[in-house]
Structures are given as structure tokens and as C-alpha cells.
Amino acid sequence: MQDLTVDFVGGASDKQHRTIADEVELIQLGYRSYLTTRDKDGVVHALAVPIDWTEDEASWAILEKMSFKTLGDPVMW
């Protein structure tokens, strides 16, 4: 599996942008992928939220941080 480019929402890593090895590393950091996409070059991008967040908490946090314009093109996080 290729590396993931991750934008963190919430928790200790809030607003950080990192490249990590895989989902296992993401879980070790205490996060889970909430939204994942692949850009034109095949790079996988993910929005990650804390593991203990409910779906509602994750959804609201993402909506608060993103504009509707950005959500129209999810690769442009």
C-alpha cells in the first residue's frame, strides 16, 4: 500500500498535514480515516478524525472546518 497524505481534524494533531505509511500508523496515532480520495496522480488523501469520535461529531467537525466550495472538490482540502 502506498503512503497516505492526511489532514487531521480534531484531537492532538488538529490542523496538521502529514504523510504516513498506512492506516495502521493512523490508528496508532489515535485517528481513523473519515473521508478518503485519490487525486489525478494516484496519491491517496484522507481526512482523519479521532478514533473515539462518533459519526455525528466527525461530520460536524468537518463541516465547520470546510467551506461548501472546498467540499465540491474534495482533493483540494
Side-chain angles (χ1 to χ4, degrees):
M1 178 178 196
Q2 68 183 29
D3 292 348
L4 295 171
T5 301
V6 180
D7 287 296
F8 293 88
V9 178
S13 297
D14 189 32
K15 299 180 184 173
Q16 291 186 24
H17 178 81
R18 294 190 209 170
T19 299
I20 62 170
D22 55 24
E23 296 260 353
V24 173
E25 184 178 349
L26 192 60
I27 290 167
Q28 290 171 345
L29 293 170
Y31 285 83
R32 63 181 171 89
S33 290
Y34 185 72
L35 295 172
T36 305
T37 189
R38 186 180 305 268
D39 68 15
K40 295 175 191 172
D41 298 323
V43 177
V44 177
H45 297 266
L47 285 177
V49 297
I51 279 178
D52 59 346
W53 279 15
T54 66
E55 290 297 312
D56 284 343
E57 289 171 317
S59 294
W60 282 110
I62 300 289
L63 285 173
E64 286 176 0
K65 294 196 183 281
M66 303 298 219
S67 70
F68 288 109
K69 179 180 176 185
T70 306
L71 289 173
D73 187 1
V75 176
M76 300 304 296
W77 295 322

